[in-house]
Amino acid sequence: MTVTTDVSVRKRGQRSPLASVGLHATLVVASVIAVFPVLWVLLTSLKPAQHAITTDFVKEPTLDNYRFLVENTSFFTWFGNSVLVAGVTTVLGVFIAATTGYAVSRFKFPGMKPLMWTLLVTQMFPMAILIVPLYNLMGQLGLLNQPLGLIITYLTIAVPFCAWMMKGFFDTIPIEIDESGRVDGLNPFGTFWRLILPLAKPGLAVTGFYSFITAWGEVAYSSAFMVGDENLTLAGGLQTFVTQYTANWGPMTAASVLIAIPAALFFVFAQRHLVAGMTAGATKG
């Protein structure tokens, strides 16, 4: 008869004390690495100009950088422009992606597969190589230096991915719900609007979050398409603090902190739906 000890026979999935310590230490290190850049930006925004690039965590803390940002720059104009562009992009992005995903999920029509392949292929192009052709196109349409030009550009980035994801989410909703809606006399759009969308909140949350972040934090297109303080978004406005030879770190980090607040609030609002929506969109195709 073979005698085994408790150490040699562990329950399945049970970790040893050493493995548990190693796992927790790894998680602590990863958390510190993830939080440190954000914390450093926050601390730098509270430093006076002469200490902005020092390694001191907190030295002579002050709100002068925030005061300078509010009183001597067009920050609120940039903020308003970003809210306009990001808000319209989010609303239109969610609506277009949801209707496209629902149509492809529920209906068969000529050109459906080429459409989905087109949406997929557009995600393979790096943003940098599209700046020049989109700039020329927007120039021909008279949309340079116009919020509408940025909105259309951001929709071309967000909608393809979101439409694919929404199709995967709608595939998880039983088609019997659509059939019951038709029995009750609803047309296809009525079924979509009244029965399917309320069940698709997790997918809509992910779509809205992705569309918002795409428009809120994007730099390349906003810098190329918009000029003049009255037209810049927040991402473009940040670049005014950087010159060829120097950078005004204090106001720039203060602006970064204020820019991050709306994105964080949006995430808090949508977070309870994000995991379910991303999982559903990823597991069905």
Side-chain angles (χ1 to χ4, degrees):
M1 179 180 295
T2 303
V3 179
T4 57
T5 64
D6 292 339
V7 175
S8 61
V9 181
R10 296 185 181 278
K11 293 181 179 180
R12 194 171 188 178
Q14 184 178 358
R15 290 188 296 268
S16 67
L18 183 61
S20 181
V21 170
L23 176 61
H24 284 81
T26 302
L27 292 175
V28 169
V29 172
S31 299
V32 171
I33 293 174
V35 172
F36 181 77
V38 180
L39 178 61
W40 190 257
V41 169
L42 176 61
L43 294 177
T44 302
S45 72
L46 298 174
K47 296 179 182 179
Q50 64 269 26
H51 300 307
I53 58 175
T54 64
T55 56
D56 298 315
F57 274 86
V58 179
K59 189 170 185 179
E60 301 177 18
T62 178
L63 295 177
D64 287 346
N65 293 319
Y66 292 91
R67 190 175 299 110
F68 176 86
L69 185 68
V70 172
E71 297 177 354
N72 298 281
T73 71
S74 301
F75 178 80
F76 289 111
T77 300
W78 305 338
F79 189 90
N81 293 337
S82 288
V83 170
L84 173 64
V85 171
V88 176
T89 300
T90 301
V91 173
L92 291 181
V94 169
F95 180 77
I96 296 173
T99 52
T100 301
Y102 179 74
V104 176
S105 174
R106 292 296 194 262
F107 305 110
K108 305 297 181 183
F109 52 88
M112 183 184 72
K113 287 187 177 180
L115 171 63
M116 296 308 294
W117 277 109
T118 300
L119 295 177
L120 183 62
V121 169
T122 57
Q123 298 298 296
M124 299 179 182
F125 291 97
M127 291 176 56
I129 68 173
L130 296 176
I131 292 179
V132 173
L134 284 175
Y135 183 91
N136 293 332
L137 179 61
M138 294 301 167
Q140 294 173 5
L141 297 174
L143 294 177
L144 289 179
N145 236 23
Q146 299 291 332
L148 181 59
L150 273 184
I151 292 169
I152 294 174
T153 301
Y154 293 149
L155 287 175
T156 64
I157 300 172
V159 167
F161 169 79
C162 292
W164 261 100
M165 190 198 64
M166 289 304 299
K167 176 193 178 300
F169 190 85
F170 287 132
D171 286 344
T172 66
I173 299 177
I175 198 171
E176 289 78 12
I177 296 178
D178 301 67
E179 295 171 350
S180 66
R182 287 194 289 270
V183 170
D184 292 336
L186 294 176
N187 58 30
F189 184 80
T191 301
F192 164 75
W193 187 260
R194 298 180 61 180
L195 300 181
I196 304 301
L197 273 189
L199 300 175
K201 288 182 180 179
L204 296 176
V206 178
T207 298
F209 183 73
Y210 182 81
S211 300
F212 179 82
I213 293 300
T214 296
W216 187 256
E218 198 280 326
V219 176
Y221 292 117
S222 61
S223 300
F225 293 1
M226 311 294 279
V227 295
D229 272 357
E230 70 281 2
N231 297 316
L232 292 178
T233 60
L234 287 169
L238 277 181
Q239 296 200 13
T240 63
F241 298 116
V242 181
T243 66
Q244 184 178 358
Y245 302 105
T246 187
N248 197 350
W249 290 106
M252 184 166 62
T253 53
S256 300
V257 171
L258 296 180
I259 291 171
I261 292 175
L265 293 176
F266 197 105
F267 175 80
V268 170
F269 175 76
Q271 67 169 335
R272 64 192 182 99
H273 297 303
L274 289 178
V275 175
M278 294 181 70
T279 303
T283 56
K284 294 289 183 179

